[in-house]
Amino acid sequence: MSADRPNWVEEFESKGYAVIEDFATAEECDEMKAEMYRVMNGLDITTEHKTVFSTGEDQQQLKDDYFLTSGDKIRYFFEKDALDEQGELKVEKDKSLNKVGHALHWHSDVFKRFSFSKKMKGVMKGFRLEDPAIIQSMYIFKNPRIGGAVCPHQDASFLWLDPLKLYGVWLAVDDATLDNGCLWFIPGSHQEGKLDGERRMLRVTKKVGDEERVTLKHVGISPTPDDALYTACPVKKGSLVLIHGMVMHKSESNLSEKPRNAYTLHVIEQKGTVWSSENWLQPTAELPFTAMNAN
Ligand code: FE2
Protein backbone atom coordinates (compact mmCIF):
# COMPACT_ATOMS: atom_id res chain seq x y z
CA MET A 1 0.00 0.00 0.00
CA SER A 2 1.47 3.34 -1.00
CA ALA A 3 0.84 6.42 1.11
CA ASP A 4 -1.51 7.95 -1.44
CA ARG A 5 -3.28 4.72 -2.33
CA PRO A 6 -5.04 3.22 0.69
CA ASN A 7 -5.66 -0.53 0.71
CA TRP A 8 -9.45 -0.16 0.33
CA VAL A 9 -9.20 1.50 -3.11
CA GLU A 10 -8.81 -1.69 -5.13
CA GLU A 11 -11.76 -3.33 -3.42
CA PHE A 12 -13.86 -0.20 -3.93
CA GLU A 13 -13.04 -0.01 -7.61
CA SER A 14 -13.85 -3.67 -8.29
CA LYS A 15 -16.88 -4.13 -6.03
CA GLY A 16 -18.32 -0.62 -5.82
CA TYR A 17 -18.04 -0.57 -2.05
CA ALA A 18 -15.46 -1.08 0.65
CA VAL A 19 -15.23 -1.10 4.44
CA ILE A 20 -12.71 0.73 6.59
CA GLU A 21 -12.85 -0.88 10.02
CA ASP A 22 -12.26 1.17 13.17
CA PHE A 23 -12.59 4.43 11.27
CA ALA A 24 -14.35 6.13 14.17
CA THR A 25 -13.67 5.42 17.83
CA ALA A 26 -16.42 4.16 20.14
CA GLU A 27 -16.28 7.57 21.83
CA GLU A 28 -16.89 9.39 18.53
CA CYS A 29 -19.87 7.13 17.78
CA ASP A 30 -21.30 7.65 21.26
CA GLU A 31 -20.81 11.40 20.96
CA MET A 32 -22.70 11.47 17.65
CA LYS A 33 -25.55 9.43 19.07
CA ALA A 34 -25.80 11.70 22.12
CA GLU A 35 -25.74 14.76 19.87
CA MET A 36 -28.51 13.31 17.72
CA TYR A 37 -30.69 12.75 20.76
CA ARG A 38 -29.95 16.31 21.93
CA VAL A 39 -30.98 17.69 18.53
CA MET A 40 -34.05 15.47 18.44
CA ASN A 41 -35.24 16.66 21.83
CA GLY A 42 -35.59 20.10 20.28
CA LEU A 43 -38.19 18.70 17.90
CA ASP A 44 -41.67 20.01 18.58
CA ILE A 45 -44.05 17.59 16.89
CA THR A 46 -47.00 19.88 17.57
CA THR A 47 -45.95 22.59 15.11
CA GLU A 48 -44.67 22.34 11.55
CA HIS A 49 -44.24 18.58 11.57
CA LYS A 50 -47.81 18.00 12.55
CA THR A 51 -48.97 20.27 9.74
CA VAL A 52 -46.74 18.62 7.21
CA PHE A 53 -47.46 15.02 8.08
CA SER A 54 -51.15 15.15 8.88
CA THR A 55 -53.48 14.04 6.14
CA GLY A 56 -55.66 16.47 4.30
CA GLU A 57 -55.73 18.80 1.35
CA ASP A 58 -52.41 19.25 -0.43
CA GLN A 59 -50.69 16.85 1.94
CA GLN A 60 -48.43 15.51 -0.79
CA GLN A 61 -47.41 19.05 -1.77
CA LEU A 62 -46.64 19.91 1.88
CA LYS A 63 -44.54 16.76 2.19
CA ASP A 64 -42.72 17.51 -1.05
CA ASP A 65 -42.04 21.10 0.07
CA TYR A 66 -40.78 19.90 3.45
CA PHE A 67 -38.38 17.50 1.76
CA LEU A 68 -37.36 19.77 -1.14
CA THR A 69 -36.38 22.61 1.21
CA SER A 70 -34.51 20.40 3.70
CA GLY A 71 -31.13 20.45 1.96
CA ASP A 72 -29.73 23.32 4.03
CA LYS A 73 -31.54 22.51 7.30
CA ILE A 74 -32.00 19.92 10.02
CA ARG A 75 -35.34 18.25 9.40
CA TYR A 76 -37.11 15.16 10.64
CA PHE A 77 -38.57 12.27 8.69
CA PHE A 78 -40.68 9.63 10.39
CA GLU A 79 -41.20 5.97 9.69
CA LYS A 80 -44.20 5.14 7.57
CA ASP A 81 -47.23 4.67 9.82
CA ALA A 82 -45.59 6.45 12.77
CA LEU A 83 -48.20 9.22 12.68
CA ASP A 84 -51.96 8.97 12.78
CA GLU A 85 -54.38 10.90 10.57
CA GLN A 86 -54.20 13.97 12.80
CA GLY A 87 -50.42 14.01 12.57
CA GLU A 88 -50.01 12.76 16.16
CA LEU A 89 -47.21 10.33 16.87
CA LYS A 90 -48.37 6.81 17.58
CA VAL A 91 -44.97 5.92 19.06
CA GLU A 92 -42.41 8.06 20.96
CA LYS A 93 -40.35 10.22 18.58
CA ASP A 94 -37.05 8.64 19.64
CA LYS A 95 -38.51 5.30 18.52
CA SER A 96 -40.33 6.40 15.37
CA LEU A 97 -37.92 8.64 13.48
CA ASN A 98 -36.61 7.22 10.22
CA LYS A 99 -33.96 9.86 9.60
CA VAL A 100 -32.81 13.40 10.20
CA GLY A 101 -31.32 15.39 7.33
CA HIS A 102 -29.87 16.95 5.30
CA ALA A 103 -27.37 19.46 6.73
CA LEU A 104 -26.22 18.03 10.06
CA HIS A 105 -22.68 18.30 8.72
CA TRP A 106 -23.05 22.08 8.84
CA HIS A 107 -25.43 22.90 11.66
CA SER A 108 -24.18 20.56 14.39
CA ASP A 109 -20.67 21.05 15.76
CA VAL A 110 -20.26 17.36 16.57
CA PHE A 111 -21.23 16.17 13.09
CA LYS A 112 -19.33 19.02 11.45
CA ARG A 113 -16.12 18.10 13.25
CA PHE A 114 -16.39 14.49 12.12
CA SER A 115 -17.49 15.30 8.56
CA PHE A 116 -14.61 17.68 7.91
CA SER A 117 -12.05 15.74 9.95
CA LYS A 118 -8.57 15.08 8.68
CA LYS A 119 -9.32 11.38 8.41
CA MET A 120 -12.47 12.03 6.33
CA LYS A 121 -10.47 14.28 4.02
CA GLY A 122 -7.96 11.44 3.77
CA VAL A 123 -10.70 9.18 2.40
CA MET A 124 -11.44 11.73 -0.31
CA LYS A 125 -7.74 11.77 -1.21
CA GLY A 126 -8.03 8.00 -1.63
CA PHE A 127 -10.79 8.61 -4.18
CA ARG A 128 -8.36 11.07 -5.86
CA LEU A 129 -10.82 13.95 -5.51
CA GLU A 130 -9.36 17.39 -6.10
CA ASP A 131 -12.23 19.52 -4.88
CA PRO A 132 -14.54 17.32 -2.80
CA ALA A 133 -17.70 18.87 -1.39
CA ILE A 134 -20.21 17.51 1.08
CA ILE A 135 -23.64 17.87 -0.47
CA GLN A 136 -25.80 16.24 2.20
CA SER A 137 -25.78 14.35 5.48
CA MET A 138 -28.29 12.12 7.20
CA TYR A 139 -28.62 10.39 10.54
CA ILE A 140 -30.51 7.14 10.00
CA PHE A 141 -32.14 5.51 13.01
CA LYS A 142 -33.38 2.10 11.83
CA ASN A 143 -35.00 1.74 15.25
CA PRO A 144 -35.77 -1.63 16.86
CA ARG A 145 -38.88 -3.34 15.43
CA ILE A 146 -40.03 -0.26 13.46
CA GLY A 147 -37.01 0.61 11.27
CA GLY A 148 -38.20 0.05 7.70
CA ALA A 149 -36.44 -1.57 4.77
CA VAL A 150 -34.70 0.55 2.13
CA CYS A 151 -35.57 -0.81 -1.31
CA PRO A 152 -32.88 -1.57 -3.92
CA HIS A 153 -31.43 1.62 -5.38
CA GLN A 154 -28.40 3.40 -6.75
CA ASP A 155 -27.65 6.69 -4.98
CA ALA A 156 -27.10 8.38 -8.37
CA SER A 157 -30.84 8.02 -9.01
CA PHE A 158 -31.30 10.77 -6.44
CA LEU A 159 -28.08 12.74 -6.84
CA TRP A 160 -26.94 13.00 -10.45
CA LEU A 161 -23.92 14.81 -11.82
CA ASP A 162 -21.88 14.56 -14.99
CA PRO A 163 -19.45 12.87 -15.00
CA LEU A 164 -20.80 10.75 -12.15
CA LYS A 165 -18.38 11.31 -9.29
CA LEU A 166 -20.62 10.60 -6.31
CA TYR A 167 -19.41 8.92 -3.13
CA GLY A 168 -21.49 7.74 -0.19
CA VAL A 169 -19.86 7.51 3.21
CA TRP A 170 -21.77 5.47 5.81
CA LEU A 171 -20.63 5.27 9.41
CA ALA A 172 -21.96 2.49 11.62
CA VAL A 173 -22.89 4.25 14.87
CA ASP A 174 -24.09 0.85 16.18
CA ASP A 175 -23.04 -2.64 15.10
CA ALA A 176 -24.88 -3.36 11.84
CA THR A 177 -25.83 -7.04 11.64
CA LEU A 178 -27.97 -9.42 9.61
CA ASP A 179 -30.62 -9.10 12.33
CA ASN A 180 -30.87 -5.33 12.63
CA GLY A 181 -30.77 -4.36 8.95
CA CYS A 182 -27.18 -4.10 7.71
CA LEU A 183 -26.42 -2.95 4.16
CA TRP A 184 -26.49 -5.40 1.22
CA PHE A 185 -24.67 -4.78 -2.05
CA ILE A 186 -24.53 -6.27 -5.53
CA PRO A 187 -20.75 -6.41 -5.96
CA GLY A 188 -19.57 -4.93 -9.26
CA SER A 189 -22.98 -3.53 -10.22
CA HIS A 190 -21.49 -0.02 -10.47
CA GLN A 191 -19.44 -1.18 -13.45
CA GLU A 192 -22.50 -1.35 -15.68
CA GLY A 193 -22.34 2.43 -15.62
CA LYS A 194 -26.05 3.03 -15.95
CA LEU A 195 -29.12 3.52 -13.83
CA ASP A 196 -31.18 0.33 -13.57
CA GLY A 197 -34.60 1.02 -15.10
CA GLU A 198 -33.39 4.57 -15.78
CA ARG A 199 -34.81 5.30 -12.35
CA ARG A 200 -34.50 8.90 -11.19
CA MET A 201 -36.12 11.17 -8.69
CA LEU A 202 -36.52 14.63 -10.17
CA ARG A 203 -37.73 18.04 -9.10
CA VAL A 204 -40.33 19.24 -11.55
CA THR A 205 -42.26 22.46 -11.84
CA LYS A 206 -45.96 22.19 -12.41
CA LYS A 207 -48.55 24.85 -12.93
CA VAL A 208 -51.45 24.96 -10.50
CA GLY A 209 -53.78 27.74 -11.62
CA ASP A 210 -51.57 30.81 -11.93
CA GLU A 211 -49.01 29.38 -9.53
CA GLU A 212 -45.84 27.44 -10.33
CA ARG A 213 -45.09 24.69 -7.83
CA VAL A 214 -42.04 22.50 -7.46
CA THR A 215 -42.78 18.85 -6.72
CA LEU A 216 -40.99 15.51 -6.78
CA LYS A 217 -41.39 13.03 -9.57
CA HIS A 218 -40.08 9.49 -9.92
CA VAL A 219 -39.31 8.43 -13.48
CA GLY A 220 -38.18 5.07 -14.88
CA ILE A 221 -38.75 1.70 -13.27
CA SER A 222 -37.95 0.83 -9.67
CA PRO A 223 -35.11 -1.76 -9.74
CA THR A 224 -35.89 -5.31 -8.60
CA PRO A 225 -32.61 -7.25 -8.91
CA ASP A 226 -32.46 -10.94 -8.08
CA ASP A 227 -31.97 -11.43 -4.31
CA ALA A 228 -29.29 -14.04 -5.04
CA LEU A 229 -26.98 -11.33 -6.42
CA TYR A 230 -26.59 -9.53 -3.09
CA THR A 231 -23.80 -9.82 -0.56
CA ALA A 232 -24.46 -8.78 3.03
CA CYS A 233 -22.18 -6.18 4.57
CA PRO A 234 -22.41 -6.54 8.36
CA VAL A 235 -19.98 -4.18 10.11
CA LYS A 236 -18.89 -3.27 13.60
CA LYS A 237 -19.67 0.04 15.25
CA GLY A 238 -17.11 2.60 14.05
CA SER A 239 -16.68 1.03 10.60
CA LEU A 240 -16.98 3.27 7.57
CA VAL A 241 -18.64 1.86 4.46
CA LEU A 242 -17.75 3.60 1.20
CA ILE A 243 -20.46 3.46 -1.45
CA HIS A 244 -20.02 4.16 -5.17
CA GLY A 245 -22.84 6.30 -6.57
CA MET A 246 -23.75 3.59 -9.08
CA VAL A 247 -23.60 0.44 -6.93
CA MET A 248 -26.92 -1.31 -6.28
CA HIS A 249 -27.67 -1.66 -2.57
CA LYS A 250 -30.50 -2.06 -0.07
CA SER A 251 -31.20 -2.84 3.57
CA GLU A 252 -33.86 -4.94 5.28
CA SER A 253 -36.21 -3.95 8.08
CA ASN A 254 -34.94 -4.01 11.62
CA LEU A 255 -37.05 -6.64 13.33
CA SER A 256 -34.56 -7.03 16.17
CA GLU A 257 -34.42 -5.44 19.61
CA LYS A 258 -31.27 -3.48 18.77
CA PRO A 259 -30.99 -0.10 17.03
CA ARG A 260 -28.96 0.26 13.86
CA ASN A 261 -28.05 3.95 13.82
CA ALA A 262 -25.82 5.28 11.03
CA TYR A 263 -24.47 8.65 9.97
CA THR A 264 -24.07 9.15 6.24
CA LEU A 265 -22.56 11.78 3.98
CA HIS A 266 -22.61 12.22 0.24
CA VAL A 267 -19.58 13.77 -1.36
CA ILE A 268 -19.04 14.88 -4.95
CA GLU A 269 -16.06 16.00 -6.98
CA GLN A 270 -16.76 19.62 -7.86
CA LYS A 271 -13.87 20.06 -10.25
CA GLY A 272 -14.88 19.35 -13.85
CA THR A 273 -18.40 18.14 -13.04
CA VAL A 274 -21.85 19.57 -13.66
CA TRP A 275 -24.52 19.15 -10.99
CA SER A 276 -27.93 18.30 -12.47
CA SER A 277 -30.48 21.09 -12.09
CA GLU A 278 -33.11 18.32 -12.03
CA ASN A 279 -31.86 16.92 -8.71
CA TRP A 280 -34.11 17.49 -5.70
CA LEU A 281 -31.07 18.80 -3.83
CA GLN A 282 -29.69 22.15 -4.92
CA PRO A 283 -27.11 24.38 -3.28
CA THR A 284 -28.71 27.43 -1.66
CA ALA A 285 -27.59 30.94 -0.75
CA GLU A 286 -27.67 29.90 2.94
CA LEU A 287 -25.67 26.75 2.31
CA PRO A 288 -23.74 26.23 -0.90
CA PHE A 289 -22.20 22.78 -1.28
CA THR A 290 -19.47 22.80 1.36
CA ALA A 291 -15.98 22.32 -0.05
CA MET A 292 -14.01 19.98 2.21
CA ASN A 293 -10.64 21.58 1.51
CA ALA A 294 -11.89 25.00 2.65
CA ASN A 295 -13.52 23.83 5.90
FE1 FE2 B 1 -28.19 4.53 -0.68
Side-chain angles (χ1 to χ4, degrees):
M1 171 179 113
S2 72
D4 65 342
R5 193 170 162 86
N7 54 7
W8 51 260
V9 171
E10 205 173 313
E11 187 184 1
F12 181 84
E13 287 176 353
S14 67
K15 289 174 26 184
Y17 67 99
V19 177
I20 306 176
E21 289 177 351
D22 301 317
F23 183 81
T25 62
E27 291 73 27
E28 283 177 303
C29 292
D30 294 345
E31 191 186 16
M32 280 185 255
K33 185 176 274 207
E35 169 70 354
M36 192 65 256
Y37 280 76
R38 189 193 67 73
V39 168
M40 189 175 58
N41 283 332
L43 166 62
D44 180 4
I45 184 68
T46 61
T47 55
E48 70 180 72
H49 303 87
K50 188 168 166 177
T51 316
V52 169
F53 293 101
S54 61
T55 54
E57 208 183 329
D58 276 348
Q59 189 212 11
Q60 194 54 50
Q61 183 66 46
L62 286 167
K63 276 187 180 169
D64 284 1
D65 286 346
Y66 187 75
F67 181 81
L68 278 161
T69 56
S70 68
D72 56 5
K73 300 178 185 70
I74 295 179
R75 283 195 165 166
Y76 307 86
F77 301 90
F78 289 93
E79 292 291 351
K80 204 167 141 283
D81 305 329
L83 299 142
D84 66 19
E85 287 189 359
Q86 279 72 46
E88 301 285 356
L89 272 175
K90 291 195 267 187
V91 193
E92 287 296 295
K93 63 189 175 191
D94 64 333
K95 296 187 180 68
S96 53
L97 273 167
N98 172 288
K99 67 178 181 184
V100 172
H102 288 94
L104 281 165
H105 64 284
W106 198 251
H107 295 301
S108 153
D109 287 343
V110 171
F111 288 104
K112 191 174 188 178
R113 202 180 318 131
F114 178 75
S115 307
F116 293 93
S117 61
K118 205 171 159 198
K119 59 187 173 186
M120 191 64 80
K121 290 173 183 171
V123 172
M124 301 310 143
K125 282 207 181 87
F127 287 132
R128 303 245 162 96
L129 303 191
E130 287 188 55
D131 185 14
I134 298 176
I135 57 168
Q136 69 166 27
S137 50
M138 293 183 276
Y139 192 92
I140 300 167
F141 289 85
K142 196 78 113 169
N143 276 311
R145 295 176 301 280
I146 193 173
V150 175
C151 61
H153 68 280
Q154 294 156 292
D155 291 348
S157 288
F158 304 90
L159 305 165
W160 185 261
L161 72 165
D162 188 24
L164 200 279
K165 294 187 178 180
L166 173 69
Y167 304 87
V169 169
W170 190 101
L171 176 77
V173 176
D174 295 309
D175 288 347
T177 68
L178 291 172
D179 292 329
N180 70 2
C182 69
L183 294 169
W184 290 73
F185 291 95
I186 299 183
S189 50
H190 66 301
Q191 289 177 5
E192 291 178 27
K194 62 179 174 61
L195 292 176
D196 189 324
E198 295 184 31
R199 187 68 164 165
R200 282 196 66 190
M201 185 176 82
L202 307 174
R203 63 160 55 220
V204 292
T205 307
K206 67 174 183 185
K207 247 188 147 37
V208 180
D210 292 339
E211 229 185 297
E212 290 215 321
R213 287 190 190 166
V214 181
T215 58
L216 291 170
K217 185 180 179 186
H218 293 272
V219 298
I221 300 159
S222 191
T224 52
D226 187 342
D227 276 349
L229 298 172
Y230 286 96
T231 299
C233 184
V235 291
K236 287 271 173 214
K237 170 178 175 175
S239 294
L240 196 70
V241 185
L242 308 173
I243 305 172
H244 191 286
M246 281 294 218
V247 75
M248 186 65 72
H249 58 290
K250 65 171 184 176
S251 65
E252 303 296 343
S253 310
N254 181 3
L255 302 176
S256 81
E257 303 296 315
K258 293 186 175 165
R260 197 231 64 187
N261 288 188
Y263 176 59
T264 80
L265 292 173
H266 279 91
V267 176
I268 59 165
E269 168 66 284
Q270 295 202 106
K271 191 174 177 193
T273 62
V274 179
W275 184 247
S276 170
S277 60
E278 293 181 308
N279 287 332
W280 78 268
L281 178 67
Q282 297 295 325
T284 65
E286 290 79 39
L287 187 61
F289 290 161
T290 46
M292 292 182 82
N293 295 342
N295 287 288

